[in-house]
Amino acid sequence: VVRGPKVAAFARALLGDGSAVVVDAWVLRAYGLRPSPAGMRTATRRVRALAGHLGWAPAETQAALWVGTRAACGFTDAVSPLLMTGGAS
């Protein structure tokens, strides 16, 4: 059985919990944080604060950070073709 804060948050996100924040290496990188319990707590707080500022669900905000950070690092495999072309025509 796999357990931990990331696993629990990921399971909640998959079940549609918009308040779930899945903090992984990409979210930590987005904020320049180290992988540690303190870094994960800080990232979670920052994602929630940004979500409140944007008026988005925390899960949506985390997902946008994840995709944007991976794209900024050259990984476009997770980026929607619609985002790559500027939207639907």
Side-chain angles (χ1 to χ4, degrees):
V1 175
V2 179
R3 297 177 192 209
K6 178 185 170 188
V7 175
F10 186 69
R12 290 189 1 248
L14 285 177
L15 293 172
D17 181 351
S19 70
V21 177
V22 181
V23 176
D24 66 1
W26 294 106
V27 174
L28 291 169
R29 181 178 287 199
Y31 286 114
L33 298 169
R34 293 183 180 264
S36 68
M40 292 183 74
R41 287 190 301 273
T42 299
T44 299
R45 282 194 305 272
R46 290 181 182 178
V47 169
R48 290 188 188 286
L50 180 58
H53 177 76
L54 295 172
W56 294 3
E60 293 171 321
T61 305
Q62 176 271 316
L65 280 169
W66 188 89
V67 170
T69 303
R70 282 183 55 85
C73 291
F75 293 91
T76 57
D77 58 313
V79 178
S80 164
L82 290 176
L83 295 175
M84 295 298 291
T85 61
S89 46

